[in-house]
Amino acid sequence: MRALAPLVLAAAVLAPGLTRAELENEVKAAYLYRFLSYLEWPPPDLDGDGSPFVIGVVGADDVYEALREIVQGRSAQGRAIEVRRLKEGDDTLGVHMVFVGRAAAGSLGKMASRKAIVVGEVEGALERGAAINLVRTADHVRFEVAPQVAERKGVRISSRMLSVAARVETGAP
Amino acid sequence: MRVLVLLATMALLAASRARDLGDLSLEQLSNVTVSSVSGRSEPLSHALGSVYVISADDIRRSGATSLPEALRLAPNLQVARTGNDGWAITARGFNGPFANKLLVLQDGRSLYTPTFAGVFWDAQDLPLENIDRIEVISGPGGVLWGANAVNGVINIVTKSSDDTRDLLVTGGIGDEESRVVAQFGGDVSHGTYRAYAMTTSLDDSPHDRLQGGFRTELGTPRDRITLQGDLYESGDLHGGNVNLLWTRNIADRDTLRVQAYYDATSRSQQHLDTVDLTVDHVLGARGPHGILWGAELRRARDNIDNDPATFSFLPETKVLNSWAAYLQDEVAFGKAFVGTFGARVDSNEYTGAEFLPSIRFGWHPDGEHLVWAAASRAIRAPARFDRELFLPGAPPFLLAGGPEFQSEVFYVYELGYRGQPSEALSFAVTGYYDDLDRQRSIAPGAAGATVENDLEGHQWGVEAWGSYRVLESWRLYAGYDYLDRTLRVRPGAVDLQPGSSIGSDPKQWAKVRSALDIGKRLELDLMLRYYDRLENIDVPSYVAVDGRLGWNVLRRLELSVYVRNIFDDAHVEWSPGEELGRSYFVKALIRF
């Protein structure tokens, strides 16, 4: 399938003015948006009235900015999406998913004890209570998941998402 | 490779890059290369060509009810409606209902008919809601797509089944047509699927069209299988296809793709079967090089039911074998320069192996501006229409197919600029000059006139388009094209064909579009197009305006009214007598 402009291979390398870090952050933000379609929250965390999803971002301003751009005009499972910039120690009441950036990795453990699904971006984040971790391989951003951590918060991760995950933490000791 | 395309798309719309990433599936995201591929610390980029991308949202907001109508959105395409379901579409001229210098693909499957090297637009349909985007490339794309990608390539990319895991019902009715689509999708083990059914009824057509199809995607980030297919029927017209793509991601750097498809299509007097196998291999970072190579095999069997009174194709049944091999290297020269060198050997049933090289250079002093230049050799290979068509269908012939007809040859030189001077404004300008050689002509002969290659000449043109965000809720788009062609008969030769059989092109055309959000729930879109007159078929110039008002009643329910030709009672786009007037279409769409 040559779904690729001949001309375009040149473009394949990278989009303009895009530094590595920028693209990495944007891909991470896109993941956060995508995950919403593959997670099932129980009522009343997500009630039937079409109230919006709330994603909190702490310690990652670039991801926050990119995510705000991505969710504009978009919805997930028929719900609007709200993005909140949080500070370490902020209340996460009503937040469905919180991204804990590298700069705030110290608060992973504290966040993990709360209701929201925690997404990390540092090595070992799953072991520190995150349900999802975005990991940078040599060239790509992949994700690993700990379905049991999510389940303890009543959230089911779809099998589809598990099949794409780079690693599924089984929780066995 | 779709990811690469998306990245390229992003290159065109740098400001909305992050937004576009939101369209990617989980697999696609996991395949986005976030390193600088060749180890270069600074980014390189840019599609070194004239590419316009029609997005899913553009199509939705346009109100278009058919694929050809959606193509009106591309500023670099000439689109004329020749009748109720007939269309003449091309880029860079030589337009006609049998336009033969444009290649059209849907998910890698050629929609083109080797009988006349063009597209039967009336046979092509799909739920427009399933289109992810349409990439419109004006100019030659021979290295990747081969012969016949002369003036452009239209690449229709449908959505991943990952993105249609819901129930969709949409129906619309108007004074010219009605359409109903029902679709559902969901998860299967290790993948997703969707299945749809649709019916279309055109007022002027005695037959309703019925169509159904499916798509499924399975696998892991390493190996991915996409299988899709469609079946359709509308009176004499019926057909189907099945299309399999296997993608392997090698060591997070290279991609190997194998695609095979089968397509059968029948209409009164014709039956065509096509089998195609393509393999390509993208080698990511190799120092400053990024390499793509591939090969393609195709076998088509075309059967025409000859009619002695009107026309015959001789022989009646023809098997057309073709093969191709191609190689492209993209090389970085320092931080701001990039070159793309590609070549394809393309072999067809009639003229054997043809050589299609292309060289492209780009200079991007910063992320906001790109200047590019390209030189390519393109050909339009002979079709049955050139070699084997006889009029009438029995001797004595007035026109006899040209056994010596060779490929039409084009040397194309392009210079382009693309930039985004501010966050709200982006635009692109391309100039081109085509040296035209061995163009189709009709020469007198002993046993009737015959098809020869006795025309030559040149054409040049300018394509320009841009978009401006006036307000967060209001965006304007504009495009303008100019085209000038000179053809002459080779010294000592004679051409009997009317100019209109080469093509009928306006000297210039322009398109303007306004997309306005009124509050959170209303959308108002207006699309104006102007085409200069078509001199050789006596079609006067015209301005037509289409408009759509959309109301997102609830998150799951959308209602819209679409009006074509708001301000005129009648205008002709192609055939004198085939007048197009005001018409409306009311539509409801529900998703669960």
Side-chain angles (χ1 to χ4, degrees):
Chain A
M1 180 176 81
R2 290 138 300 170
L4 172 71
L7 340 163
V8 168
L9 231 136
V13 186
L14 281 180
L18 199 59
T19 64
R20 260 166 60 143
E22 252 181 90
L23 181 60
E24 184 176 333
N25 286 326
E26 290 174 1
V27 169
K28 284 178 176 170
Y31 268 120
L32 295 177
Y33 159 69
R34 270 288 147 189
F35 288 153
L36 295 178
S37 307
Y38 298 90
L39 300 175
E40 281 172 34
W41 273 269
D45 294 355
L46 206 56
D47 33 18
D49 64 355
S51 62
F53 277 118
V54 181
I55 306 178
V57 179
V58 48
D61 285 353
D62 293 344
V63 173
Y64 167 79
E65 295 296 342
L67 183 57
R68 273 179 45 115
E69 206 175 312
I70 288 170
V71 304
Q72 205 174 68
R74 284 206 171 92
S75 59
Q77 304 187 23
R79 290 167 192 277
I81 302 156
E82 190 186 318
V83 184
R84 285 187 203 160
R85 192 197 323 243
L86 302 174
K87 290 198 289 291
E88 284 184 72
D90 273 1
D91 195 359
T92 56
L93 200 68
V95 176
H96 296 95
M97 184 163 80
V98 60
F99 179 70
V100 180
R102 184 164 280 111
S107 59
L108 266 173
K110 197 166 59 186
M111 286 290 181
S113 64
R114 301 195 186 156
K115 193 90 183 99
I117 288 290
V118 176
V119 183
E121 62 166 340
V122 294
E123 206 176 322
L126 293 189
E127 286 67 31
R128 290 155 70 184
I132 303 170
N133 193 23
L134 296 173
V135 289
R136 172 70 197 270
T137 65
D139 292 321
H140 302 99
V141 180
R142 298 275 158 81
F143 65 92
E144 42 187 40
V145 288
Q148 291 168 355
V149 173
E151 263 159 41
R152 279 202 289 277
K153 300 184 181 190
V155 177
R156 213 181 73 83
I157 299 179
S158 80
S159 58
R160 178 85 188 105
M161 180 164 154
L162 297 180
S163 75
V164 183
R167 184 171 75 94
V168 178
E169 174 65 51
T170 55
Chain B
M1 191 125 50
R2 284 184 55 183
V3 173
L4 304 189
V5 177
L6 278 157
L7 279 172
T9 307
M10 286 168 227
L12 303 179
L13 306 160
S16 55
R17 179 181 63 220
R19 269 197 68 70
D20 291 349
L21 281 170
D23 287 333
L24 301 191
S25 68
L26 288 177
E27 284 87 354
Q28 289 170 331
L29 283 170
S30 63
N31 285 325
V32 171
T33 304
V34 293
S35 59
S36 48
V37 168
S38 52
R40 297 169 291 230
S41 58
E42 286 300 304
L44 271 175
S45 67
H46 311 333
L48 305 179
S50 189
V51 186
Y52 186 85
V53 180
I54 302 172
S55 73
D57 207 46
D58 291 338
I59 296 171
R60 186 184 63 81
R61 295 191 64 140
S62 75
T65 63
S66 66
L67 180 61
E69 198 172 23
L71 294 175
R72 287 197 196 280
L73 287 163
N76 48 348
L77 285 181
Q78 292 162 250
V79 178
R81 195 167 181 174
T82 60
N84 199 18
D85 63 348
W87 296 82
I89 300 174
T90 195
R92 298 190 181 177
F94 295 97
N95 204 16
F98 295 97
N100 59 19
K101 292 171 183 60
L102 181 79
L103 196 62
V104 185
L105 299 159
Q106 179 176 331
D107 294 325
R109 176 173 56 88
S110 174
L111 303 185
Y112 136 117
T113 300
T115 322
F116 66 99
V119 176
F120 281 120
W121 287 105
D122 62 342
Q124 318 304 334
D125 205 352
L126 75 165
L128 296 186
E129 290 77 12
N130 284 347
I131 297 177
D132 184 73
R133 66 186 182 281
I134 303 174
E135 302 163 355
V136 180
I137 298 141
S138 42
V143 174
L144 290 196
W145 289 289
N148 307 315
V150 172
N151 279 349
V153 180
I154 295 176
N155 215 345
I156 301 153
V157 181
T158 64
K159 285 180 180 164
S160 159
S161 51
D162 287 5
D163 296 330
T164 52
R165 297 178 306 145
D166 48 11
L167 177 69
L168 169 83
V169 180
T170 171
I173 188 158
D175 48 3
E176 287 185 351
E177 67 204 297
S178 66
R179 290 172 75 89
V180 178
V181 177
Q183 171 168 288
F184 60 90
D187 295 334
V188 289
S189 161
H190 297 292
T192 54
Y193 76 96
R194 69 163 172 261
Y196 73 89
M198 64 189 284
T199 175
T200 314
S201 126
L202 291 178
D203 244 25
D204 294 5
S205 164
H207 303 288
D208 291 349
R209 181 182 171 113
L210 278 173
Q211 181 168 333
F214 73 98
R215 173 165 174 148
T216 179
E217 284 174 59
L218 307 164
T220 61
R222 182 160 174 266
D223 283 296
R224 191 120 187 91
I225 297 282
T226 303
L227 179 67
Q228 55 186 327
D230 308 276
L231 278 174
Y232 56 88
E233 186 264 333
S234 171
D236 281 345
L237 174 69
H238 54 94
N241 63 77
V242 55
N243 186 349
L244 175 71
L245 171 69
W246 170 48
T247 308
R248 165 161 284 190
N249 186 357
I250 303 165
D252 281 352
R253 183 166 72 165
D254 301 345
T255 309
L256 178 69
R257 295 155 5 103
V258 180
Q259 179 167 38
Y261 70 80
Y262 169 71
D263 187 306
T265 182
S266 292
R267 55 177 57 234
S268 65
Q269 292 191 278
Q270 186 194 21
H271 182 81
L272 171 68
D273 290 288
T274 309
V275 189
D276 185 287
L277 176 69
T278 305
V279 177
D280 64 31
H281 189 187
V282 183
L283 296 128
R286 296 291 188 281
H289 297 272
I291 291 173
L292 164 72
W293 68 272
E296 179 169 10
L297 282 173
R298 183 179 297 173
R299 185 180 177 89
R301 184 180 178 278
D302 188 39
N303 170 255
I304 305 283
D305 192 4
N306 286 335
D307 173 13
T310 52
F311 68 82
S312 287
F313 280 83
L314 301 174
E316 202 161 39
T317 298
K318 177 93 175 184
V319 175
L320 300 155
N321 290 307
S322 57
W323 59 263
Y326 50 97
L327 173 69
Q328 178 171 284
D329 186 10
E330 176 233 317
V331 192
F333 302 102
K335 290 178 178 176
F337 291 90
V338 62
T340 305
F341 309 95
R344 179 183 183 108
V345 178
D346 199 287
S347 174
N348 68 76
E349 189 70 30
Y350 299 107
T351 60
E354 303 260 9
F355 186 54
L356 306 170
S358 165
I359 301 177
R360 292 171 186 274
F361 284 103
W363 174 54
H364 46 97
D366 53 48
E368 274 79 51
H369 307 276
L370 166 73
V371 179
W372 60 275
S376 319
R377 179 182 191 268
I379 63 156
R380 200 274 291 176
R384 298 198 69 193
F385 173 80
D386 303 301
R387 290 269 190 137
E388 295 159 8
L389 174 63
F390 292 77
L391 304 172
F397 297 119
L398 292 171
L399 175 74
E404 299 301 320
F405 181 77
Q406 300 300 308
S407 296
E408 296 179 320
V409 180
F410 305 76
Y411 292 93
V412 181
Y413 307 93
E414 298 170 277
L415 183 63
Y417 166 82
R418 186 163 58 242
Q420 183 153 26
S422 78
E423 215 183 301
L425 177 70
S426 67
F427 67 98
V429 184
T430 305
Y432 60 91
Y433 177 88
D434 296 359
D435 199 357
L436 310 170
D437 198 15
R438 299 199 324 217
Q439 302 291 302
R440 181 185 151 108
S441 63
I442 293 182
T450 190
V451 181
E452 296 277 0
N453 295 86
D454 287 333
L455 287 181
E456 56 189 26
H458 62 265
Q459 68 173 11
W460 67 274
V462 175
E463 300 166 328
W465 63 76
S467 76
Y468 181 63
R469 201 180 63 227
V470 187
L471 299 167
E472 200 56 55
S473 55
W474 187 23
R475 210 172 238 290
L476 291 176
Y477 303 81
Y480 173 80
D481 273 60
Y482 182 87
L483 169 64
D484 185 276
R485 179 168 57 235
T486 307
L487 282 175
R488 57 186 173 268
V489 182
R490 211 181 280 201
V494 177
D495 180 30
L496 300 175
Q497 78 190 317
S500 59
S501 73
I502 299 165
S504 301
D505 301 308
K507 196 114 195 158
Q508 53 186 348
W509 69 91
K511 301 179 182 183
V512 180
R513 179 156 64 98
S514 155
L516 175 69
D517 295 332
I518 307 166
K520 286 202 156 173
R521 298 202 183 280
L522 286 181
E523 299 166 330
L524 178 65
D525 287 75
L526 293 168
M527 289 141 288
L528 176 150
R529 61 185 188 277
Y530 156 79
Y531 282 92
D532 207 344
R533 69 182 197 278
L534 303 177
E535 218 171 85
N536 59 15
I537 51 171
D538 283 330
V539 172
S541 70
Y542 62 89
V543 173
V545 179
D546 300 338
R548 172 187 178 270
L549 181 65
W551 179 28
N552 297 306
V553 187
L554 297 164
R555 212 164 267 125
R556 302 174 194 285
L557 172 66
E558 178 189 299
L559 300 177
S560 61
V561 182
Y562 173 47
V563 183
R564 296 187 188 94
N565 309 314
I566 299 174
F567 300 112
D568 70 305
D569 293 330
H571 74 270
V572 170
E573 298 189 358
W574 196 266
S575 319
E578 286 283 357
E579 291 185 332
L580 304 172
R582 196 171 301 116
S583 68
Y584 69 89
F585 190 76
V586 188
K587 177 177 163 179
L589 184 148
I590 305 170
R591 267 179 214 280
F592 288 101

